[in-house]
Amino acid sequence: MSFEVDIGYSSRRGPREVNEDFAGAVHAPPGDEARGLIAAIADGVSSGGRGREAAQTTVMGLLADYFATPATWEPTAALDRLVAAQNGWLADHNRRRQSRSSEEGGTALTTLTALVLHGQGYTLAHVGDTRAWRVRAGGEAAVPLTQDHAFDHPDMRSRLTRAIGLDDQVRVDYVQGDVRVGDCFVLTSDGVHGVLKPQQVAALALQGDDAEAASEA
């Protein structure tokens, strides 16, 4: 089953010195349209300035490899393999950095929320405190589809309980559900949902007919 999806992005540095967020989306290749698309967002965290690298490599690796997995695999199986591989790679690099001089030391971690749209359903893979929301026409607020893996503390970025690259193995939350015509899915980092309420997310997501303009708003 093929479908049309309008995609928009927006990212700002805000008051921080470096923007360590990264996001992207990829449609299935020609001839394989029934596999839908995959979108992902990551928010890098680091003690040595490498959070952006962790976020970017995690998202780009996932988007590049997802449709290379066998079409017979369930989305959860494909995501689990790919996320585990990226986590192992990043955890190994963190160990090597920590064993070098202090100038090269520090860990690079990242959150990850990935959304796969396929057929009449969706699959989410989630680690950390980035979030996925679903907005439906007529709804008063965006419905959260993920749960944060972080301590209840104002500085959520430094209180993550799960992250890509934190340990040799990572536990991933998976969520599946149905998709209706007109559904809007929103992926956010804490710089957005730490400020906007669910009602505001819904109102912005549904304004106008252009996903890019809604993202900028």
Side-chain angles (χ1 to χ4, degrees):
M1 177 183 179
S2 61
F3 46 82
E4 294 184 2
V5 180
D6 189 19
I7 301 171
Y9 307 87
S10 182
S11 184
R12 296 290 184 270
R13 177 172 58 84
R16 297 173 181 148
E17 293 183 1
V18 179
N19 184 350
E20 295 188 311
D21 295 352
F22 195 85
V26 173
H27 288 268
D32 208 12
E33 290 86 355
R35 297 187 69 184
L37 67 83
I38 180 171
I41 187 172
D43 184 0
V45 183
S46 65
S47 59
R50 296 180 181 269
R52 170 75 175 189
E53 175 186 300
Q56 183 171 342
T57 56
T58 296
V59 169
M60 292 185 68
L62 185 63
L63 300 187
D65 295 340
Y66 179 76
F67 291 113
T69 61
T72 54
W73 285 9
E74 289 293 326
T76 51
L79 290 167
D80 207 50
R81 291 282 188 93
L82 297 175
V83 173
Q86 173 63 19
N87 178 78
W89 176 84
L90 191 55
D92 180 62
H93 274 250
N94 284 332
R95 280 194 299 271
R96 295 183 183 184
R97 287 169 183 152
Q98 290 174 328
S99 66
R100 296 170 187 163
S101 65
S102 58
E103 293 183 357
E104 297 184 26
T107 57
L109 312 175
T110 185
T111 68
L112 175 67
T113 302
L115 169 71
V116 178
L117 298 180
H118 50 91
Q120 296 179 327
Y122 71 84
T123 297
L124 277 168
H126 171 67
V127 179
D129 66 353
T130 38
R131 295 181 185 176
W133 313 76
R134 185 181 62 199
V135 181
R136 281 183 169 161
E140 296 182 355
V143 177
L145 302 176
T146 54
Q147 183 175 359
D148 292 351
H149 303 136
F151 290 118
D152 188 13
H153 188 281
D155 185 11
M156 299 290 273
R157 289 171 62 88
S158 61
R159 299 294 191 274
L160 291 172
T161 57
R162 292 192 217 171
I164 306 297
L166 182 62
D167 298 303
D168 287 338
Q169 295 183 336
V170 61
R171 189 153 54 98
V172 182
D173 286 354
Y174 290 102
V175 181
Q176 293 184 305
D178 68 298
V179 173
R180 301 178 187 175
V181 173
D183 277 354
C184 179
F185 291 88
V186 184
L187 306 181
T188 61
S189 65
D190 58 359
V192 174
H193 56 249
V195 177
L196 298 180
K197 296 180 179 180
Q199 293 86 347
Q200 293 172 299
V201 173
L204 292 170
L206 294 180
Q207 71 174 22
D209 297 321
D210 182 9
E212 185 65 30
S215 298
E216 291 290 340

